[in-house]
Amino acid sequence: MRSVTPDDIRREHDAAIASLTSDQRHSLWRQRHARQMMNFNGLSERQNLQVLFEREAAQRNADAELLDAETREGQANDNAAPGPQSAGGARS
């Protein structure tokens, strides 16, 4: 019987981390951050997660509003494009 080595565990760990999606990685980050916050603010992990959820939602909404404003500005600029100009220049 072969014994398990620390390198075996490291390879398993690396493979598991590599298989995570971006959303899963972000969820793990939130969880870890909420636990770290407990040491500084005395709130529970669940309460800190709620704080993180609220902050992230506010940031995503602000980003979406900015993107919408930039899109509207671009559309307004496209609609304000000058029409064809006459080749004859100024008329007298």
Side-chain angles (χ1 to χ4, degrees), residues 10-85:
R10 181 187 48 78
R11 279 192 292 277
E12 287 176 11
H13 173 81
D14 291 347
I17 294 296
S19 71
L20 294 175
T21 66
S22 173
D23 288 342
Q24 289 169 326
R25 288 174 194 257
H26 197 74
S27 293
L28 289 173
W29 177 87
R30 282 189 211 104
Q31 195 79 35
R32 185 175 59 246
H33 192 64
R35 286 185 188 135
Q36 291 172 343
M37 290 170 64
M38 289 171 49
N39 295 322
F40 299 101
N41 63 15
L43 297 177
S44 71
E45 184 177 332
R46 185 180 304 265
Q47 289 170 313
N48 283 320
L49 276 170
Q50 186 60 37
V51 168
L52 291 174
F53 296 155
E54 290 169 4
R55 286 180 187 167
E56 188 171 334
Q59 184 62 53
R60 287 187 190 186
N61 289 328
D63 290 347
E65 287 178 22
L66 180 61
L67 183 61
D68 287 346
E70 289 172 352
T71 300
R72 284 192 304 271
E73 182 179 316
Q75 289 171 346
N77 288 340
D78 290 345
N79 292 338
Q85 302 207 357

